[in-house]
Amino acid sequence: MADLIAWVLVVAIAAYACAGGTDYGAGFWDLLAGGAERGKPVRRLIDHAMAPVWEVNNVWLIFVFIVMWTGFPTMFQAVFEAMWLPLALAAVGLVFRGAGFALRKPARRLARRRIAGVLFALASLVTPFFLGAVLGGIASGRVAVGTPASADAWANPTSVLTGLLAIASTAFLGAVFLSSDARRFGADDLVSYFRLRALLAFAAVVVLALIALPVTHGDARYVWEGLTTGWGLTMVILAALCGLATVLLLWRGSPHWSRWTAVGSVALTVGAWGMAQGPYLLPTSLTVTEAAGAAPTLNWLGIVTLIAIVLVGPALVVLYRLDTLGQLEPLTDADTRSAPAPGDDL
């Protein structure tokens, strides 16, 4: 049961990396959209694309933490003791990001919308970076039971590269999804706009991944060996193929199907990391079995997870499906033509 719950944790992390990562990527492109007038069409598209699902996407992060502290309390304690600062910064980013996104649209004064927009965009960089840095510190074996908090646990080469990869990957996901959103909303000029940015983000992911190869070879040797052999290598290759397929689909003007391949690329990468790290939760000091909670707790956690899949899963599928079809909040011609919003002249 402990191994099953560990894989539930990996799947939940993959789901958050894809769903929440798409939102972080949208925030990244919001930051680079330009001034108030030039960036208005981009930001309107981001608002309409994110509004129906951004709160739901954060449910995956909550589920990750629930599985961690319930199923693997020893790991949970060790990670939060050693990594409390980057996790706190990520949490602050989550708060400011949500507040900025929620408050900028109803704000009537341009100055207030700008402040809220900056909070949303900057926090969309801060949160994925520090979450990635935490994963990098864990993968490099710098976290063990009793490890005190220190900068080395998360400000090391593997952590920095993982944080940058998290930003680049979310930018890639966000651009792919927004290219598809632009087409279904009829904003044809933004289709090519985000297609180009998706290709640039993918190039950044490739460059960072190549830089990470020699760094992780020396700094996170156990995980590196897992990623270059067996099932870990197989999943890395599949993730790379999905990434290349995404590039090809975007190049040929098929943004709808590119969503699936982009999600597959990121999800397979997370799965490869889970494969490479096994049987450890904290390489190479704490195995899944050693970190697992009591057997009755794990059994109940498995039952609750199954109930959640049965009760919540269909609702999430319907929500994502309706959002993909553009039936939740249609974008009007006035929006895509950069029509002035209420309060623009204030």
Side-chain angles (χ1 to χ4, degrees):
M1 180 59 75
D3 289 336
L4 177 61
I5 298 300
W7 276 109
V8 169
L9 180 61
V10 172
V11 170
I13 293 173
Y16 184 65
C18 295
T22 303
D23 293 344
Y24 292 128
F28 178 87
W29 299 118
D30 188 290
L31 181 66
L32 301 182
E37 288 302 320
R38 185 163 66 90
K40 187 180 295 182
V42 173
R43 294 189 176 100
R44 286 189 183 277
L45 176 64
I46 290 171
D47 284 345
H48 281 77
M50 282 184 56
V53 295
W54 71 278
E55 291 180 286
V56 176
N57 289 338
N58 286 317
V59 169
W60 296 109
L61 182 61
I62 297 171
F63 187 65
V64 167
F65 286 142
I66 289 174
V67 174
M68 278 182 63
W69 80 55
T70 307
F72 307 102
T74 305
M75 174 201 178
F76 184 85
Q77 179 181 358
V79 170
F80 274 77
E81 282 184 355
M83 299 284 195
W84 70 266
L85 181 56
L87 287 170
L89 292 173
V92 170
L94 278 170
V95 173
F96 280 113
R97 181 176 172 275
F101 182 74
L103 295 177
R104 76 171 178 175
K105 193 171 183 179
R108 294 188 57 82
R109 292 187 178 276
L110 179 60
R112 292 177 181 175
R113 286 205 303 277
R114 283 177 171 174
I115 293 173
V118 168
L119 285 176
F120 163 67
L122 290 179
S124 295
L125 301 183
V126 169
T127 300
F129 175 81
F130 283 114
L131 291 177
V134 169
L135 291 179
I138 293 172
S140 62
R142 286 178 167 85
V143 180
V145 177
T147 298
S150 68
D152 179 65
W154 57 274
N156 57 77
T158 301
S159 288
V160 171
L161 275 171
T162 307
L164 293 176
L165 273 168
I167 292 175
S169 299
T170 58
F172 171 61
L173 277 174
V176 170
F177 272 67
L178 287 168
S179 179
S180 178
D181 288 329
R183 172 159 293 184
R184 65 187 172 91
F185 285 137
D188 295 334
D189 56 328
L190 294 181
V191 174
S192 57
Y193 176 92
F194 281 111
R195 179 193 300 135
L196 174 60
R197 279 148 183 80
L199 297 176
L200 293 174
F202 182 76
V205 170
V206 172
V207 170
L208 288 170
L210 291 175
I211 295 173
L213 286 175
V215 172
T216 54
H217 180 269
D219 196 48
R221 188 59 179 267
Y222 184 85
V223 172
W224 184 87
E225 290 178 350
L227 290 173
T228 54
T229 58
W231 281 106
L233 178 60
T234 301
M235 297 185 79
V236 167
I237 293 173
L238 291 174
L241 291 175
C242 282
L244 292 174
T246 304
V247 170
L248 180 61
L249 288 168
L250 287 172
W251 193 267
R252 297 184 61 181
S254 302
H256 174 72
W257 290 106
S258 64
R259 286 184 173 213
W260 296 99
T261 53
V263 166
S265 180
V266 174
L268 285 167
T269 300
V270 175
W273 161 73
M275 281 286 185
Q277 196 164 287
Y280 293 99
L281 286 177
L282 299 178
T284 51
S285 61
L286 187 68
T287 65
V288 172
T289 302
E290 293 169 344
T297 301
L298 294 178
N299 292 335
W300 276 108
L301 183 58
I303 293 172
V304 169
T305 300
L306 183 61
I307 293 174
I309 292 173
V310 173
L311 294 182
V312 182
L316 288 176
V317 170
V318 171
L319 174 65
Y320 289 141
R321 179 61 177 167
L322 291 176
D323 182 55
T324 301
L325 295 175
Q327 296 182 5
L328 295 179
E329 188 176 351
L331 195 62
T332 66
D333 290 340
D335 291 324
T336 58
R337 300 281 185 262
S338 303
D344 277 355
D345 56 341
L346 298 179

